Amino acid sequence: MKLLRRTVAYARFEPRLSNTRPVWVDALQAMVAGALAVLAFAPFFAWPIAVVSLVVLFSHWVRATSPTRAASAGFFWGLGLFLVGVPWLYVSLHSYGGMPAPLAALAILLFCVYLSLFPALAGYLQAKMPLALHVRLLLLMPVTFVAAEMFRGWFVTGFPWLILGYTQTPSALSLAPLAGYAPVFGVFSISFLLAATAGAIVLAPAKLSGVVITATLRRCLTIGGTSVWISGVLLGAYEWSSPSGAPMPVSLAQGNVPQDLKWREDQAAASLENYLQLVEQSRGKLIVLPETALPFMLQDVPRAVIGAMADKARAQGGEVLLGVALRDTSPAADGTRRYYNGAVAFGTTPAQQYAKHHLVAFGEFVPPLFSWVYQWLKMPLSGFTPGAEKQLPMRLAGHRVAVNICYEDAFGSEIAGSLPEAELLVNLSNMAWFGTYLAADQHAQFSQMRAIETARWMVRATNTGLTAAINEKGRIVASLPQFSRGVLEVLATPMQGATPYSRWRDVPMLLLLGCALVFGVTVSMRRRSKVEN
């Protein structure tokens, strides 16, 4: 309550006054607010800070004397968010990619600058539409903010990291009242509701034209805001899916192989022995190994290793799902071979394969015009080909299992494409690339949100963590400590049924954003036309 009172006090202003403070003061405040927003994500889960951060940003947008100054506030807010939230990329560039330290630091700074252009664009657009204050705060600012998040998650293959809606994933530390909207409209709807809540907090103490209107509006804000948050709790209690069978024993292996040793030839035998031992220890009908668990192409893995794993799976009446790089059996027409970041399953059923579709720029493929980057960046397996966009779930241990690899679970509409056929979701990852700072915890929130959106269990097998089992409500029911070696034994319940989000994906949110932006542009053009006439 003390935090809320201070936030409302900060937002108390007369919106018709000009902002006479120095630009650097506004920039510093916005940057600190953006940096603090990182505490709303895992592993801190202090989600109210996300609302507080947006209150500061929206207050700056209202006070801004020009679209440029509003864009500046959005830019510095984003710069604070990303400089604190994603510096783990430095580890992959410098420590494992071989990029010189000064150049890697500069690359991270430029990347954060690029990401900050999206909230800057949101600030500029909302300022260019001079609508009534209550319309701006309750509709236009939330709409432009979320539109910028969605655009960032799509543009140039997308980087949907630190989307504010992810702060509403449940944890042992906090409840997630708005998570119930995820199975209906997805993660971006939660971002919108958080932003609208911040807009209402900014609006509540503002001076409007008349005491009666102000009192009425405040009552509407209180009733409407309370209803939205209570409805989120009620939706969260609704069962969108039901068990399609008995809980299935699943073994999730975490090999804890350091990234600097993973691809060394003198460590290959040790890696094989490591995962053979973990498979031998496993008791599940489905045994899952992480992304690129073995430092070989599938065709180069010793047959004895595959045979031993398959024998273990067959003895337990199931399959092994192994993350491994794949190679085409024959060259393409131009004589080149295609390689895939993939997974293969074998055991009681015929072998099945999955090839990762949504690849990571610079890590798994080179974007056009950027081949020069590899003068300084030495990434193994950076020439992958994307797999087919639509791949059917595998039939594993008697159930249909949809596989996704690493970064793919950041894209909700793509994961939802496996429904309603898929009964269980499986993510294979290797977060050893990014060191010990935040990345693994933030990435696990993707899996939590995908579980909520689809009302399916998501089990994750990773090299160094976070290896976990997540139920259909997005709660982590079991996990292994990060940077430890072991096997997580869980009972994962296969589910059936389809959520509204799995049918509609992000279409409702896109329609809302599009209609709101068209409305804002139309009203703004009419007002300008009247002024000119």
Side-chain angles (χ1 to χ4, degrees):
M1 290 303 294
K2 184 182 294 185
L3 178 63
L4 180 59
R5 286 196 297 271
R6 290 180 178 176
T7 301
V8 173
Y10 179 88
R12 192 178 299 277
F13 61 91
E14 167 56 68
R16 288 168 290 190
L17 294 178
S18 296
N19 187 359
T20 57
R21 293 178 303 185
V23 174
W24 71 267
V25 173
D26 283 351
L28 181 60
Q29 287 182 347
M31 195 168 178
V32 170
L36 288 176
V38 175
L39 296 175
F41 296 89
F44 312 105
F45 296 103
W47 64 259
I49 293 179
V51 177
V52 174
S53 180
L54 286 179
V55 165
V56 176
L57 175 62
F58 288 1
S59 297
H60 280 290
W61 281 358
V62 172
R63 289 191 180 101
T65 54
S66 68
T68 301
R69 192 148 180 178
S72 173
F75 175 82
F76 284 103
W77 182 88
L79 195 61
L81 175 70
F82 296 116
L83 282 176
V84 175
V86 298
W88 39 262
L89 288 167
Y90 174 87
V91 177
S92 61
L93 294 179
H94 172 62
S95 301
Y96 302 128
M99 183 177 284
L103 192 59
L106 178 61
I108 296 302
L109 176 60
L110 293 177
F111 184 58
C112 291
V113 166
Y114 158 74
L115 296 175
S116 302
L117 294 177
F118 293 93
L121 177 62
Y124 183 85
L125 288 177
Q126 64 80 31
K128 290 291 286 185
M129 304 178 197
L131 305 179
L133 180 64
H134 63 287
V135 177
R136 289 181 62 199
L137 282 166
L138 298 179
L139 180 63
L140 190 57
M141 290 184 190
V143 160
T144 54
F145 180 84
V146 176
E149 283 194 330
M150 296 186 79
F151 187 46
R152 172 164 62 87
W154 167 82
F155 187 65
V156 192
T157 77
F159 188 77
W161 218 275
L162 297 179
I163 299 298
L164 283 195
Y166 285 111
T167 62
Q168 286 291 301
T169 52
S171 75
L173 302 177
S174 66
L175 299 174
L178 296 181
Y181 289 98
V184 186
F185 298 116
V187 67
F188 292 108
S189 70
I190 300 177
S191 286
F192 176 81
L193 294 174
L194 290 170
T197 299
I201 292 173
V202 175
L203 181 62
K207 297 178 182 179
L208 300 179
S209 57
V211 177
V212 176
I213 297 177
T214 302
T216 302
L217 182 58
R218 284 175 179 169
R219 283 195 295 270
C220 291
L221 292 177
T222 302
I223 296 171
T226 302
S227 299
V228 165
W229 285 77
I230 291 176
S231 297
V233 175
L234 296 176
L235 283 171
Y238 186 80
E239 300 296 337
W240 296 101
S241 60
S242 60
S244 59
M248 177 172 61
V250 178
S251 301
L252 305 171
Q254 182 170 292
N256 196 35
V257 179
Q259 191 61 36
D260 55 351
L261 301 180
K262 185 176 179 67
W263 297 103
R264 281 176 41 176
E265 290 187 13
D266 61 343
Q267 296 296 314
S271 291
L272 290 173
E273 182 62 27
N274 181 20
Y275 279 105
L276 275 172
Q277 290 178 3
L278 292 177
V279 169
E280 187 59 36
Q281 297 170 18
S282 300
R283 303 190 301 272
K285 290 189 68 175
L286 176 60
I287 303 170
V288 186
L289 277 61
E291 174 187 18
T292 57
L294 304 183
F296 299 92
M297 294 287 172
L298 174 62
Q299 292 83 349
D300 300 326
V301 177
R303 295 298 93 188
V305 171
I306 297 293
M309 291 183 177
D311 289 343
K312 173 66 175 180
R314 282 192 287 266
Q316 297 177 176
E319 279 80 32
V320 169
L321 179 62
L322 167 67
V324 65
L326 308 174
R327 181 178 61 222
D328 272 351
T329 55
S330 58
D334 58 1
T336 61
R337 287 185 181 272
R338 289 176 294 186
Y339 301 89
Y340 305 90
N341 187 357
V344 60
F346 46 84
T348 59
T349 59
Q352 303 163 77
Q353 291 186 0
Y354 171 80
K356 185 179 181 183
H357 169 70
H358 204 128
L359 302 180
V360 179
F362 299 107
E364 295 173 321
F365 79 101
V366 184
L369 306 180
F370 282 92
S371 58
W372 54 271
V373 171
Y374 284 86
Q375 297 178 39
W376 299 283
L377 189 62
K378 308 299 180 186
M379 290 286 191
L381 301 178
S382 58
F384 282 128
T385 298
E389 183 175 358
K390 182 67 175 178
Q391 300 179 60
L392 295 176
M394 294 182 181
R395 189 78 181 181
L396 304 176
H399 295 283
R400 290 161 296 181
V401 177
V403 179
N404 58 89
I405 295 178
C406 195
Y407 191 54
E408 287 187 305
D409 68 349
F411 301 91
S413 62
E414 296 180 12
I415 299 300
S418 63
L419 266 65
E421 292 82 7
E423 300 168 87
L424 177 70
L425 306 177
V426 177
N427 177 266
L428 315 180
S429 292
N430 176 24
M431 300 303 289
W433 283 105
F434 307 113
T436 60
Y437 180 80
L438 297 183
D441 295 286
Q442 292 173 353
H443 184 227
Q445 284 192 301
F446 294 158
S447 291
Q448 288 182 267
M449 187 58 67
R450 302 294 85 83
I452 302 171
E453 288 173 344
T454 59
R456 294 292 191 275
W457 279 61
M458 170 83 85
V459 293
R460 317 179 76 243
T462 71
N463 178 24
T464 56
L466 186 68
T467 296
I470 302 165
N471 70 13
E472 77 280 6
K473 296 296 184 181
R475 290 200 169 275
I476 297 177
V477 297
S479 63
L480 290 177
Q482 291 189 48
F483 302 100
S484 66
R485 179 180 179 274
V487 179
L488 180 64
E489 302 286 356
V490 298
L491 289 174
T493 304
M495 308 296 288
Q496 61 186 350
T499 63
Y501 180 75
S502 69
R503 298 188 181 98
W504 305 332
R505 318 282 179 86
D506 293 318
V507 171
M509 282 304 300
L510 288 171
L511 289 175
L512 170 64
L513 302 182
C515 291
L517 291 174
V518 169
F519 168 76
V521 171
T522 302
V523 173
S524 299
M525 291 177 65
R526 287 179 179 175
R527 287 191 174 185
R528 289 194 182 95
S529 178
K530 289 181 180 179
V531 171
E532 292 173 357
N533 293 332

